Amino acid sequence: MDRDTTFTLRPIGVIRSELTSRREAPKQGGEGAPDAWLEIEPWAEQALDRIAPGDALIVITWFHQADRSVMQVHPRGDQRNPLSGVFATRSPDRPNPVGLHPVILRSINGRRLRIGPIEAIDGTPVIDIKPELA
Amino acid sequence: MDRDTTFTLRPIGVIRSELTSRREAPKQGGEGAPDAWLEIEPWAEQALDRIAPGDALIVITWFHQADRSVMQVHPRGDQRNPLSGVFATRSPDRPNPVGLHPVILRSINGRRLRIGPIEAIDGTPVIDIKPELA
């Protein structure tokens, strides 16, 4: 494969949340994040078959507000933490700003999934859903 | 955000493995997969800072041979398993064929990381690396 090859992501859905800015969002879902809605695009609805309330899922998002040029950060935005490569951290600022969110599926109504807890902000594109890592 | 928005992934590296075809690859890393090399692109080397041997990482790949039109599969390719939406499975065939691989970092030599076990085949693009999910 050519080293300049790129790939195109097409969102399968979007997060609808009461969180509307990165500043108010917890760093991780387990740190007081709310539940949210995941609205699936009509063309992807078939791919939800056999997902059921209570399932532990990994929701994979695209941090559309990320700065993709950032290679090093102070973890958790705290200057007292030593500068670290972004691959050693969960920073949303990174070359390909993919987010991994372990959640529980609370309920499902057609193409609307109630999930949580999740720290992703309103409008965050969702690119994939998987069963939790074994 | 417009519902037709797409995003562009730029690989940060590539898997170099003795596995060369999907047919010979185990379904999951823990099912007898070998260790492999992850070669990081020069422009992303800074993002490796403070990663160390023994770290438990999630390597995120792009299954470049996937069929992105597939919405339902028989899990594990076994016709006896009932047809299921791909979001309920780990199938590499899915709309955005992102792969999650929990691995241990065995050693690191500049931009070459020895990781494993991992079922990704030789030439698989890598799009991100994160610390394992808490």
Side-chain angles (χ1 to χ4, degrees), chain B residues 2 18 26-27 31 33 36-37 45 48 64 69 74 79 85-87 90-91 93 98 106 114 116 130 132:
Chain B
D2 190 289
E18 68 198 57
K27 300 290 186 195
E31 299 177 6
W37 291 103
E45 183 171 3
L48 292 174
H64 58 305
S69 69
H74 295 282
Q79 298 290 323
V86 291
F87 298 153
R90 306 296 299 269
S91 167
D93 296 318
V98 169
R106 313 291 191 192
R114 187 70 176 168
K130 293 184 194 293
E132 76 175 344

Side-chain angles (χ1 to χ4, degrees), chain B residues 109-128:
Chain B
N109 183 358
R111 294 185 289 107
R112 279 170 61 84
L113 281 59
R114 187 70 176 168
I115 57 171
I118 183 165
E119 76 285 10
I121 65 174
D122 189 62
T124 301
V126 174
I127 60 172
D128 201 5

Side-chain angles (χ1 to χ4, degrees), chain B residues 38 44 49 59:
Chain B
L38 194 179
D49 188 50
V59 171

Side-chain angles (χ1 to χ4, degrees), chain A residues 17-19 25-26 29 31-36 106 114-120:
Chain A
S17 173
E18 68 198 56
L19 297 174
E31 300 177 6
D35 287 355
R106 312 290 191 194
R114 187 71 177 167
I115 58 171
I118 183 165
E119 77 283 11

Side-chain angles (χ1 to χ4, degrees), chain A residues 23-82:
Chain A
R23 205 182 39 185
E24 66 182 306
K27 300 289 186 196
Q28 301 294 331
E31 300 177 6
D35 287 355
W37 292 102
L38 195 179
E39 295 182 359
I40 300 291
E41 298 294 337
W43 60 267
E45 183 170 4
Q46 270 194 53
L48 293 175
D49 189 49
R50 294 189 187 272
I51 284 183
D55 285 358
L57 302 173
I58 308 279
V59 171
I60 307 181
T61 61
W62 184 259
F63 292 123
H64 58 304
Q65 296 186 356
D67 180 344
R68 302 181 64 174
S69 69
V70 171
M71 296 289 158
Q72 301 197 333
V73 295
H74 295 282
R76 301 183 66 82
D78 186 334
Q79 299 290 324
R80 291 169 298 186
N81 292 328

